[in-house]
């Protein structure tokens, strides 16, 4: 957290690999299957996000802290525990870059959409900004709800990777993952809107809030556009 440049250069290297170095490396090679690695990766994501939820609850969520705005807390043992969890989650978000690299190695370049890449990079950069400049325990609600969504999402991915039989069973739930993600963003917007009211004391660095709000609206637009193109068209074709 000494500097934002670490996250910036890691993200820059990520972009270089998925758009230039990776495709160049795979150009004359057959796609890697990586089934075992994908299943292992999904298990790590499920366990890591479940651990974060457990630790956030142990740090005071739903007892000391709740959905309603509370006084800024930076120095208490609970707040320090929350910041420690959030730091590990930042590392997990950087680890998320591996998913896109796997797409490249499997020659699934079409899956590397604007939504996918923008979502990964913006999460890492905003998480870094939060930890570096605006460490507020209240913002951990965003991480908490996101971890829950990721447990559901990677559980689906793990089941889908188990084979065609299980994939057919879980496949109808795929479109609900996008819906859950969009609902997540709306819930976060409602939670953040409390900063507009006088009863909610805001910390130094709150100037970033409008930019984060714009980022959430971009997420909603991109995820809705993906949902419309992927699932609405599929439903029409079936009809």
């Amino acid at each position: 957290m000494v500097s934002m440049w670490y996250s910036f250069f890691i993200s820059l290297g990520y972009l270089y690999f998925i758009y230039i170095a990776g495709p160049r490396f795979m150009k004359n090679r057959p796609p890697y299957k990586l089934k075992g690695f994908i299943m292992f990766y999904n298990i790590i994501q499920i366990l890591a996000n479940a651990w974060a939820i457990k630790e956030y609850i142990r740090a005071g969520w739903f007892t000391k802290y709740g959905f309603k705005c509370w006084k800024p807390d930076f120095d208490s043992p609970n707040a320090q525990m929350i910041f420690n969890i959030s730091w590990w989650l930042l590392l997990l978000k950087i680890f998320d870059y591996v998913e896109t690299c796997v797409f490249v190695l499997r020659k699934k370049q079409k899956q590397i959409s604007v939504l996918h890449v923008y979502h990964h990079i913006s999460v890492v950069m905003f998480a870094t900004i939060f930890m570096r400049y605006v460490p507020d325990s209240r913002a951990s609600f965003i991480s908490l709800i996101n971890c829950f969504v990721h447990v559901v999402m990677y559980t689906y991915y793990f089941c889908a990777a188990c084979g065609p039989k299980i994939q057919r069973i879980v496949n109808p739930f795929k479109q609900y993952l996008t819906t859950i993600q969009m609902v997540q963003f709306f819930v976060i917007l409602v939670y953040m809107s409390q900063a507009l009211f006088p009863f909610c004391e805001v910390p130094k660095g709150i100037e970033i809030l409008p930019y984060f709000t714009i980022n959430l609206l971009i997420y909603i637009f991109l995820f809705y556009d993906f949902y419309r193109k992927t699932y609405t068209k599929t439903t029409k074709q079936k009809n």
Side-chain angles (χ1 to χ4, degrees), residues 12-233:
L12 202 62
Y14 163 72
L15 286 173
Y16 176 74
F17 178 81
I18 64 173
Y19 285 124
I20 300 174
R24 186 182 297 166
F25 173 77
M26 293 301 299
K27 185 176 181 180
N28 298 316
R29 288 177 170 85
Y32 293 96
K33 293 183 179 180
L34 301 175
K35 181 179 179 180
F37 177 81
I38 292 169
M39 295 184 73
F40 180 66
Y41 173 82
N42 290 331
I43 290 173
I44 291 176
Q45 288 284 0
I46 294 167
L47 294 177
N49 283 281
W51 169 84
I53 294 171
K54 178 184 74 70
E55 289 298 296
Y56 273 137
I57 293 173
R58 196 164 71 88
W61 260 99
F62 307 118
T63 52
K64 181 178 174 62
Y65 307 124
F67 187 81
K68 187 178 179 181
C69 181
W70 66 79
K71 188 176 180 180
D73 182 11
F74 307 104
D75 303 315
S76 73
N78 297 81
Q80 291 302 312
M81 187 175 176
I82 283 176
F83 297 144
N84 182 59
I85 301 163
S86 299
W87 184 81
W88 283 107
L89 281 176
L90 171 58
L91 297 187
L92 183 62
K93 296 308 168 189
I94 293 174
F95 180 64
D96 286 353
Y97 286 169
V98 171
E99 182 180 8
T100 320
C101 297
V102 169
F103 289 160
V104 174
L105 296 176
R106 296 180 69 209
K107 288 194 171 181
K108 302 283 187 179
Q109 208 70 20
K110 289 184 178 180
Q111 292 183 327
I112 306 177
S113 62
V114 173
L115 166 61
H116 179 90
V117 176
Y118 176 79
H119 180 60
H120 277 319
I121 290 181
S122 59
V123 166
V124 168
M125 297 312 298
F126 272 103
T128 303
I129 292 169
F130 159 68
M131 291 297 297
R132 180 74 178 85
Y133 300 106
V134 201
D136 188 339
S137 58
R138 294 173 295 186
S140 61
F141 172 78
I142 299 171
S143 298
L144 179 64
I145 189 171
N146 185 252
C147 285
F148 170 76
V149 171
H150 277 75
V151 168
V152 175
M153 184 175 73
Y154 283 105
T155 299
Y156 166 82
Y157 289 156
F158 175 79
C159 293
C162 287
K165 289 184 179 179
I166 298 179
Q167 188 176 24
R168 282 195 294 270
I169 295 172
V170 300
N171 200 51
F173 298 97
K174 187 177 180 180
Q175 71 180 86
Y176 296 114
L177 292 177
T178 309
T179 304
I180 290 172
Q181 286 175 310
M182 288 190 290
V183 170
Q184 165 197 207
F185 301 138
F186 281 111
V187 172
I188 292 172
L189 281 173
V190 172
Y191 178 76
M192 288 171 45
S193 68
Q194 296 179 94
L196 301 174
F197 296 98
F199 67 78
C200 191
E201 184 181 342
V202 294
K204 182 181 178 181
I206 197 63
E207 295 83 4
I208 193 179
L209 188 61
Y211 300 102
F212 187 71
T213 303
I214 292 171
N215 186 59
L216 279 175
L217 294 175
I218 292 173
Y219 285 166
I220 292 171
F221 170 77
L222 290 175
F223 272 88
Y224 174 73
D225 186 59
F226 169 79
Y227 183 93
R228 182 178 58 81
K229 289 179 179 177
T230 305
Y231 302 114
T232 305
K233 286 184 178 180

